Amino acid sequence: MTSCLARFLCFLLVLVSIDFSLNAQTISGTVKNAKTGEAMPFANVFVNNTTIGSTTDVNGKYLISGNLPRNIELVASFVGYVTATKSFSLSTTNKVDFKLDPLESILTEVELKTRRDKKWERDLRRFEDVFLAVPDDPFVSQLKIKNPWVLDFETVKESGPNYVHATAQEPLQIVNDALGYDVTYYLKDYRFYNNRSSYVGFVFFDPKDIRDSTELALSEVNKETSYMGSIRHLLNSILLARTADENFEIYQVLPSDLFRRRSNVYNEELDKSIKLINPDSIRRMPLKNGNYRVFWPNDAEIHYRGKRWRNDYYSDIYHPVSWISAPLGYFDIDRNGIPVIPSQVVLSGYMGRQRMGRLLPHDYVPSESFENYLAEVDSSQLEYSRWNNLREKPYFSTNKPYYYPGETVWLGGQMLYQNKVMSDTLSRVLYLDLMNEDAEIIQSEAFPIKEGKISATFILPKELKSGDYFLRSYTEWMRNFPEQDIFLLALPVLKKEENIKAIAITNPDLFGDLTINLKDSVFFRDSFKEMEFTLSFLDETEELTEAEFVISLTDADMVSTLTTQKTLISAMDWLDEKQTPVNLTLGDHQIEYGITVVGQFTRDKKRDPYVNPITLVRDDLADYGIVETDSTGYFRATGLYFTDSATVSIAALDAKQKHYGSVSLHEKTKPVFKGSYPKINYETYLRADDELRLDISGDYVLMEEFLKEDEKIETMEERNYGYGLPDREMDEDKLATISPEALAGYFGFKRGGKSIGNYNYGFKVPNALLIIDGASYPFLDGASFDALMSSFIPSELESIKVYTFNSAVFGMAGAGGVIMITTKKGSKTTPVEETAFNSVEFQQYRIRGFSREIPFPTSYENDDPVELKPTLFWEANAESDSGVYSFKVKIPQAQRRMNLKVEGLIKDGLAFVKTFEIVVK
């Protein structure tokens, strides 16, 4: 123990001697023209990344003095000349001469400014986000590039991935009023790829002369808060063995598990995907040049508990979280904790937010105590952040902009989330109301939200009068939040003798961030035409990028275009609209996991308990669940999944399965409409009698689905018994080599069937539903669940499939997740005997479920002629494959003009909408 302490004290003494032994060192030299040899007066010479510098005199000489680092990168610059650098150690020399080469061509300021265009402006905005500060940084308004016109951007195509490259003819002049510096930045290289960015250069910090004491104090606070939790702060604390004292926690990121869905709950992830490590285990080795080599534990997650922060990754902690990886397994730092080669360290999360606006000069010395600066955001801001993190909003578009009575309306889109991490936590039920100009509800529907996607259909009443209607869409959970979160969409309904005068199509400018290309070809058959369409999506670097979108193909002669409709591009502005909380408790309206039943239990006898188990059964045991009342008798059951309507039997049952007391259901309410309804401006004309065609479901012969030669008919088992794709699964090969303990770890199984990865906000889930060779075992108690699971040997199983996010289709029984096991024998267990449900002891209610799904017809059986229709093709949840999407459609021989509209998001979250005008040749 004594020897360890002695070594540590020696280590500190070495650092102290390094830090203070070089005071009052000097560097001198000359700066000359490389071609003429003449002295260059007023040239700038400075130590890179510091406030230490000087200018040359009339003889081209300079002198720099101060507390200089041992290893120096010295920079010499002059306008119109190539910037030069020299790296050296003060232990070897203190005299450095420069010869600067003239630049071959220099554009004047006027010439540079004339190069501006929309794409340049978009590239500049992205450059500022990457270089200056992230858009939500509080410093943004105090940062400015004074001479942005010196920047030039180009797209570079090489053997590797394409990228946007930036050059600067002159040094960038940056005003940083937040930290109190005028910054000169000599850009060497800037690259923006489709999923990452990088920039390098030389920088000189010139402290501003701040006379106002309040402004000066604020800049000092900003410097301290920028240092706290930064990569420099962490590495300096590692070097001094003070990570715990400096409030850092280092977690090793465990190998990724394809079979386990990572949650947004810190307490769930501890020791599963992250493991706290002892910082003393991180080796630090002194190098001969005075730097230190840090051997890094692969990928690491860093928690800084010395500052409160709006955490968007974990839902249960509020401090900065960062991730650091070292591709080489190590990185070198100087004595101040600054990476010598920045590319050796890859940052993301909080530390990855820091840009030039937060960068401090290397000679900046933080104060010894941060006690006065422990909060960059106050507690109320954190509560606002938590409240905003739980906000959601639907957006969808329809297959065409207006309709006629009796037509089918197809709609598709997605849920928008203020914090996408919470998407698997929020609502699974979407409500839609068709309303008229008097805000009266004409028709109401309910649709499931599947993995954040919206796909729905409803039919307009045949007796509906023409007029300006609109759709109102919301979730029950959204009613806790401002009314403006509710989505409204205009839906004009015309008289059958009317049509709308078309308006010229105008597509929003995507500023080169995205290019959507369309190729089409037509093939002539005896009684119809067959067209093939291929869409390709290219990002700003002209690389193919993935996209998710809604696609609609309409007859341009039947369906007119309107320009005043809402688009996903404008809807995305909602993500930047942070609201002040009106109800931080969020208790009035709860998240719905499926069709929800809310009611009240009333006791018959005083000896009845205050908290009672309520049993709910749908139809003849198609689904059932048990929920408990609170002490007032209130109960709520969610997770039912059915269409149209169903009979739900409800009762409180005692140990002998006899009912007692009575139940009543609460009537579901609708939000009161208070705002103004959306309306589209349009002009109509009378159409000819034979021009009317309607979109009626079930009357289509449109798109051909081609059967692959090797395609086989799937069995019920292969289709997962009709329940769709699991969230994760393990096949026979993997099961043959895994132990029962490792298997439980892969899937996150816990004893008693608790928690396999379903993290619904405020929702108490039952044990996981077991399905074994197609037989269901719902609502097992812990002992029964363990007994069944322990009876299986992994090598005897054919597959295990787990549903969490996609478990809503299993109803109340699947609310806690589903484990679907298929044995090699196919009959490992005896199927559960089916018994008829006796509803004598129950009160029965007719409950409305989800609206019936009407898929857009996409196949036909023969070569009959195809009739003219307004909507020729519709897909609510289209996805590209390696940036490309293709489909084929059969169209009538008389088809002449079509409009193809695509609207959605590319993988980095950029929204787009584009309409192609197609002439059939």
Side-chain angles (χ1 to χ4, degrees):
M1 186 74 178
T2 305
S3 62
C4 290
L5 179 60
R7 284 198 300 269
F8 176 67
L9 290 174
C10 290
F11 180 69
L12 289 181
L13 287 173
V14 170
L15 289 178
V16 170
S17 66
I18 291 174
D19 280 341
F20 298 102
S21 64
L22 300 179
N23 285 340
Q25 293 290 321
T26 62
I27 307 172
S28 63
T30 59
V31 180
K32 296 181 178 180
N33 187 314
K35 286 193 173 182
T36 65
E38 296 178 351
M40 297 181 65
F42 309 112
N44 296 310
V45 184
F46 60 90
V47 179
N48 188 29
N49 277 298
T50 70
T51 61
I52 304 169
S54 180
T55 56
T56 57
D57 61 17
V58 292
N59 297 314
K61 296 181 179 180
Y62 71 90
L63 177 67
I64 296 174
S65 62
N67 185 11
L68 301 175
R70 172 181 294 179
N71 299 301
I72 291 178
E73 184 177 28
L74 199 64
V75 182
S77 71
F78 195 86
V79 175
Y81 288 78
V82 178
T83 301
T85 65
K86 291 190 177 182
S87 298
F88 59 94
S89 173
L90 274 180
S91 61
T92 59
T93 185
N94 63 352
K95 190 175 190 314
V96 180
D97 296 327
F98 289 95
K99 293 182 179 181
L100 302 186
D101 293 308
L103 287 170
E104 293 183 1
S105 63
I106 287 291
L107 298 179
T108 67
E109 182 176 316
V110 173
E111 289 173 321
L112 288 166
K113 286 183 176 180
T114 60
R115 302 177 76 170
R116 288 187 176 184
D117 55 24
K118 286 186 177 181
K119 187 178 186 311
W120 181 90
E121 290 174 355
R122 181 64 182 172
D123 285 333
L124 174 63
R125 285 195 294 272
R126 184 174 53 224
F127 177 85
E128 291 174 335
D129 290 345
V130 170
F131 179 74
L132 280 184
V134 292
D136 64 343
D137 192 309
F139 287 4
V140 164
S141 61
Q142 302 177 73
L143 301 169
K144 182 181 179 181
I145 300 176
K146 295 172 63 177
N147 58 339
W149 54 82
V150 304
L151 286 164
D152 194 20
F153 303 96
E154 64 172 339
T155 299
V156 178
K157 300 178 182 180
E158 295 180 342
S159 57
N162 300 341
Y163 60 91
V164 175
H165 184 248
T167 55
Q169 289 282 350
E170 298 177 12
L172 294 171
Q173 303 298 328
I174 304 165
V175 177
N176 188 339
D177 289 329
L179 298 183
Y181 294 111
D182 287 324
V183 181
T184 303
Y185 194 91
Y186 299 80
L187 184 67
K188 288 176 60 181
D189 191 56
Y190 164 88
R191 301 186 182 196
F192 182 88
Y193 298 86
N194 60 7
N195 58 357
R196 67 187 190 279
S197 60
S198 65
Y199 59 87
V200 292
F202 308 116
V203 57
F204 176 68
F205 296 84
D206 185 13
K208 298 171 73 72
D209 184 15
I210 303 176
R211 305 292 177 87
D212 185 275
S213 59
T214 302
E215 186 180 346
L216 180 62
L218 182 59
S219 68
E220 291 302 316
V221 170
N222 289 340
K223 290 174 186 176
E224 296 283 7
T225 58
S226 295
Y227 178 81
M228 293 166 56
S230 67
I231 180 63
R232 178 179 171 185
H233 185 193
L234 169 69
L235 297 181
N236 191 44
S237 69
I238 289 176
L239 196 59
L240 297 174
R242 288 181 49 85
T243 52
D245 295 335
E246 298 291 341
N247 295 304
F248 283 104
E249 292 176 347
I250 304 175
Y251 297 83
Q252 182 179 355
V253 177
L254 301 177
S256 60
D257 181 1
L258 298 176
F259 304 101
R260 181 179 179 274
R261 190 189 192 97
R262 177 164 181 160
S263 77
N264 57 329
V265 181
Y266 165 76
N267 289 319
E268 286 283 347
E269 294 308 308
L270 189 60
D271 295 327
K272 293 178 183 174
S273 61
I274 57 173
K275 182 179 181 180
L276 185 64
I277 64 174
N278 186 338
D280 291 338
S281 65
I282 300 175
R283 289 197 301 126
R284 307 173 295 281
M285 182 178 73
L287 303 176
K288 291 182 179 180
N289 60 6
N291 295 328
Y292 296 84
R293 178 156 293 175
V294 177
F295 295 90
W296 197 246
N298 299 320
D299 293 336
E301 183 171 298
I302 313 299
H303 290 224
Y304 178 61
R305 295 186 179 272
K307 179 189 295 186
R308 290 175 66 78
W309 184 254
R310 302 180 297 271
N311 192 297
D312 290 337
Y313 189 75
Y314 291 111
S315 62
D316 54 343
I317 58 175
Y318 290 92
H319 58 252
V321 178
S322 308
W323 292 268
I324 301 177
S325 62
L328 300 178
Y330 66 87
F331 48 81
D332 296 342
I333 61 176
D334 67 14
R335 69 177 189 270
N336 292 315
I338 298 168
V340 177
I341 305 175
S343 60
Q344 290 181 341
V345 185
V346 180
L347 305 176
S348 57
Y350 177 80
M351 291 181 185
R353 290 172 52 89
Q354 295 200 331
R355 307 289 193 266
M356 277 301 302
R358 294 274 179 176
L359 186 65
L360 293 162
H362 289 182
D363 54 326
Y364 168 76
V365 179
S367 63
E368 295 182 1
S369 173
F370 303 135
E371 293 179 359
N372 296 327
Y373 315 115
L374 287 181
E376 193 162 341
V377 292
D378 58 33
S379 298
S380 61
Q381 286 180 302
L382 293 172
E383 287 299 315
Y384 292 175
S385 175
R386 174 180 177 275
W387 186 82
N388 274 294
N389 275 347
L390 293 170
R391 288 171 63 202
E392 59 186 0
K393 181 184 179 76
Y395 173 83
F396 56 76
S397 55
T398 54
N399 59 303
K400 58 184 186 180
Y402 59 93
Y403 293 86
Y404 296 92
E407 279 200 297
T408 303
V409 179
W410 281 278
L411 57 90
Q414 59 199 296
M415 298 296 295
L416 305 178
Y417 302 99
Q418 284 286 336
N419 184 357
K420 199 167 184 180
V421 169
M422 306 299 290
S423 62
D424 65 346
T425 300
L426 298 177
S427 301
R428 312 288 175 86
V429 182
L430 182 73
Y431 295 98
L432 183 140
D433 298 325
L434 174 65
M435 306 180 74
N436 63 16
E437 295 176 273
D438 298 323
E440 296 173 330
I441 298 176
I442 307 300
Q443 184 174 344
S444 292
E445 310 289 343
F447 304 106
I449 300 170
K450 300 177 181 179
E451 298 190 61
K453 304 278 185 67
I454 300 169
S455 177
T457 319
F458 68 95
I459 300 173
L460 295 172
K462 291 182 179 179
E463 66 279 5
L464 192 65
K465 295 181 180 179
S466 62
D468 289 319
Y469 295 84
F470 65 96
L471 299 177
R472 175 178 70 172
S473 185
Y474 60 94
T475 67
E476 184 70 13
W477 177 248
M478 287 170 57
R479 297 178 66 179
N480 294 302
F481 295 89
E483 188 178 2
Q484 56 261 42
D485 284 4
I486 293 177
F487 178 64
L488 305 176
L489 181 69
L491 196 83
V493 176
L494 305 184
K495 297 177 182 178
K496 292 189 175 182
E497 64 270 18
E498 293 179 331
N499 199 1
I500 289 178
K501 291 184 178 179
I503 298 175
I505 294 174
T506 57
N507 287 308
D509 194 340
L510 299 177
F511 302 105
D513 286 345
L514 177 69
T515 303
I516 308 174
N517 295 324
L518 173 68
K519 292 183 179 179
D520 62 79
S521 54
V522 61
F523 307 94
F524 292 89
R525 309 300 186 209
D526 292 338
S527 57
F528 57 84
K529 299 173 186 174
E530 182 180 84
M531 289 199 70
E532 181 175 10
F533 299 90
T534 300
L535 288 160
S536 57
F537 301 85
L538 293 92
D539 63 16
E540 63 274 17
T541 66
E542 299 184 23
E543 293 277 1
L544 287 168
T545 184
E546 299 297 357
E548 298 180 350
F549 50 96
V550 172
I551 184 168
S552 178
L553 180 68
T554 55
D555 186 315
D557 292 319
M558 296 185 191
V559 182
S560 301
T561 53
L562 303 176
T563 60
T564 55
Q565 291 175 295
K566 288 185 177 180
T567 67
L568 181 57
I569 294 175
S570 59
M572 295 289 284
D573 292 339
W574 173 80
L575 297 175
D576 300 321
E577 299 172 1
K578 308 300 181 184
Q579 294 288 338
T580 301
V582 294
N583 177 19
L584 286 173
T585 59
L586 296 175
D588 294 339
H589 302 277
Q590 300 181 51
I591 292 171
E592 291 185 317
Y593 188 75
I595 300 300
T596 303
V597 176
V598 178
Q600 185 72 32
F601 170 77
T602 303
R603 296 190 300 167
D604 285 341
K605 301 174 183 178
K606 291 185 177 180
R607 66 172 179 267
D608 289 342
Y610 285 99
V611 177
N612 300 272
I614 304 295
T615 300
L616 301 93
V617 179
R618 175 169 70 87
D619 295 330
D620 190 10
L621 280 176
D623 189 11
Y624 79 95
I626 301 174
V627 296
E628 290 186 342
T629 70
D630 63 15
S631 58
T632 68
Y634 170 88
F635 67 89
R636 176 178 180 268
T638 188
L640 288 161
Y641 196 96
F642 58 92
T643 57
D644 295 334
S645 62
T647 297
V648 178
S649 305
I650 309 174
L653 301 178
D654 60 20
K656 297 181 179 180
Q657 299 300 300
K658 296 293 183 181
H659 86 281
Y660 61 94
S662 61
V663 295
S664 59
L665 297 190
H666 295 175
E667 184 178 353
K668 200 167 190 67
T669 63
K670 291 279 189 180
V672 177
F673 184 78
K674 300 177 183 177
S676 58
Y677 68 91
K679 186 176 181 180
I680 296 177
N681 295 321
Y682 56 88
E683 186 178 350
T684 63
Y685 67 92
L686 294 178
R687 66 162 80 241
D689 291 340
D690 61 348
E691 287 182 346
L692 180 63
R693 300 288 189 277
L694 299 179
D695 278 325
I696 306 297
S697 59
D699 189 24
Y700 285 79
V701 283
L702 299 180
M703 186 185 108
E704 180 176 8
E705 294 180 340
F706 294 91
L707 187 67
K708 297 179 181 178
E709 291 183 2
D710 59 349
E711 188 174 349
K712 64 176 183 177
I713 299 175
E714 293 181 321
T715 65
M716 189 66 176
E717 177 183 324
E718 290 170 325
R719 292 198 301 270
N720 301 318
Y721 305 98
Y723 289 114
L725 295 175
D727 293 287
R728 53 197 186 276
E729 62 182 298
M730 187 177 289
D731 60 18
E732 184 177 354
D733 293 340
K734 184 69 174 178
L735 286 165
T737 60
I738 195 169
S739 67
E741 293 76 19
L743 180 65
Y746 270 128
F747 288 104
F749 298 155
K750 289 186 178 180
R751 291 187 62 82
K754 295 292 185 183
S755 182
I756 58 170
N758 194 312
Y759 305 108
N760 290 281
Y761 180 81
F763 183 52
K764 184 179 179 181
V765 298
N767 293 339
L769 165 65
L770 278 179
I771 298 178
I772 303 171
D773 290 331
S776 296
Y777 297 83
F779 301 102
L780 293 172
D781 58 36
S784 300
F785 180 92
D786 291 339
L788 267 176
M789 288 298 293
S790 61
S791 68
F792 293 110
I793 299 173
S795 60
E796 295 180 355
L797 303 180
E798 189 173 287
S799 68
I800 292 183
K801 300 171 183 178
V802 171
Y803 296 77
T804 51
F805 194 89
N806 292 327
S807 65
V809 294
F810 293 87
M812 289 187 292
V818 179
I819 303 170
M820 185 181 290
I821 297 174
T822 303
T823 67
K824 290 182 178 179
K825 296 180 180 180
S827 57
K828 172 71 179 177
T829 59
T830 304
V832 176
E833 293 184 4
E834 294 187 7
T835 57
F837 170 58
N838 186 349
S839 61
V840 173
E841 299 288 337
F842 290 77
Q843 294 175 243
Q844 293 189 319
Y845 297 89
R846 197 68 181 167
I847 305 294
R848 183 176 177 182
F850 291 118
S851 302
R852 181 169 294 278
E853 186 174 352
I854 307 174
F856 191 89
T858 58
S859 63
Y860 69 98
E861 300 297 335
N862 51 46
D863 291 339
D864 290 343
V866 181
E867 296 182 1
L868 288 166
K869 291 288 183 180
T871 305
L872 300 167
F873 180 76
W874 166 260
E875 175 56 59
N877 298 135
E879 296 183 10
S880 66
D881 182 5
S882 300
V884 177
Y885 177 82
S886 299
F887 67 98
K888 295 181 179 181
V889 176
K890 289 190 173 182
I891 60 174
Q893 287 284 16
Q895 193 76 51
R896 292 293 178 264
R897 298 190 309 123
M898 297 180 290
N899 291 326
L900 177 66
K901 180 181 177 182
V902 291
E903 181 177 37
L905 297 170
I906 61 174
K907 67 177 182 180
D908 66 355
L910 175 70
F912 62 86
V913 57
K914 185 168 184 177
T915 301
F916 296 90
E917 298 178 83
I918 300 166
V919 177
V920 184
K921 298 179 181 179

